[in-house]
Amino acid sequence: MLRIKLGARRYVGDEESTDHFLPREHAGWDPTLTDEEVYEAARGWWRLSSKANSEKYAMIVCGDTIRLLVAIDEWASRGDDRRAFRGRILQPGHEVHDRFIGQPDPVTSGSRNPVAYYADEADLGHCQCGCGTRVRGDWAPGHDQIAIHRVINANFEGSVRQFIEWCRTQGLKLA
Ligand SMILES: [Zn+2]
């Protein structure tokens, strides 16, 4: 999950009012903003690597409390290191909304960076091998090997030697 802490409201219209992905006149937050305005202020453009693309939710911190939860649907990037997202504001009844809304900022690292990664079970997916383990990324530890050996068992009678011979006949690189 991404934690985004909004700074003070400021005018950015000269550079950003005609932006294709995130057109806006202001960035940042003040206490008069509606949910929709907080969402627009929180969408970008943050200094983030492509690692952010796998985040499913953003929690938006205003002042010292979590003001809004967003399910992220889409990312755009600008230059090498700026990213913005589009998503849906979570409503009461959604598990992530109900667990976090109104809570204190959970990121207490003291870093001045407005964006931080916050590890939460809501970000987890299922191991690709089908075992049902909840994981961050594709595999539980070692389960990528289970998946590879299943393929070798199904197609090469469990023989790694046969599999490598087959790779050789296909012209694949062996090292
Ligand atoms: Zn697994």
Side-chain angles (χ1 to χ4, degrees):
M1 191 175 303
L2 282 180
R3 171 278 218 166
I4 296 170
K5 183 172 174 135
L6 296 183
R9 195 91 167 137
R10 66 186 196 283
Y11 178 75
V12 295
D14 290 345
E15 302 89 42
E16 301 195 10
S17 61
T18 59
D19 186 85
H20 187 64
F21 190 75
L22 178 49
R24 61 180 179 179
E25 300 282 329
H26 294 86
W29 167 82
D30 76 49
T32 68
L33 298 190
T34 64
D35 285 359
E36 199 63 37
E37 289 167 330
V38 171
Y39 163 70
E40 291 296 336
R43 288 179 50 206
W45 291 89
W46 306 108
R47 198 178 292 274
L48 282 166
S49 72
S50 59
K51 179 186 170 195
N53 291 9
S54 59
E55 296 298 312
K56 297 176 181 173
Y57 298 101
M59 60 170 74
I60 317 304
V61 173
C62 297
D64 292 317
T65 58
I66 299 172
R67 171 72 163 74
L68 206 67
L69 285 307
V70 177
I72 298 170
D73 291 324
E74 185 187 357
W75 285 97
S77 56
R78 188 166 82 184
D80 285 341
D81 64 345
R82 293 286 174 173
R83 285 183 144 70
F85 61 85
R86 237 196 295 263
R88 287 155 291 133
I89 298 171
L90 297 185
Q91 302 298 323
H94 189 288
E95 184 269 329
V96 172
H97 171 281
D98 294 354
R99 202 149 44 86
F100 287 106
I101 195 77
Q103 297 295 310
D105 183 359
V107 177
T108 54
S109 65
S111 162
R112 295 175 62 89
N113 194 333
V115 184
Y117 291 94
Y118 177 74
D120 184 76
E121 62 191 29
D123 297 314
L124 302 178
H126 288 97
C127 178
Q128 296 294 305
C129 94
C131 68
T133 306
R134 302 292 303 271
V135 292
R136 191 175 179 84
D138 291 335
W139 307 101
H143 288 206
D144 50 348
Q145 294 299 313
I146 293 174
I148 285 172
H149 281 280
R150 258 189 215 144
V151 172
I152 293 172
N153 287 341
N155 296 281
F156 303 97
E157 299 169 349
S159 164
V160 173
R161 188 185 60 76
Q162 281 188 33
F163 168 62
I164 289 176
E165 278 306 316
W166 176 82
C167 290
R168 195 191 308 281
T169 65
Q170 300 302 306
L172 299 178
K173 289 180 185 168
L174 295 177

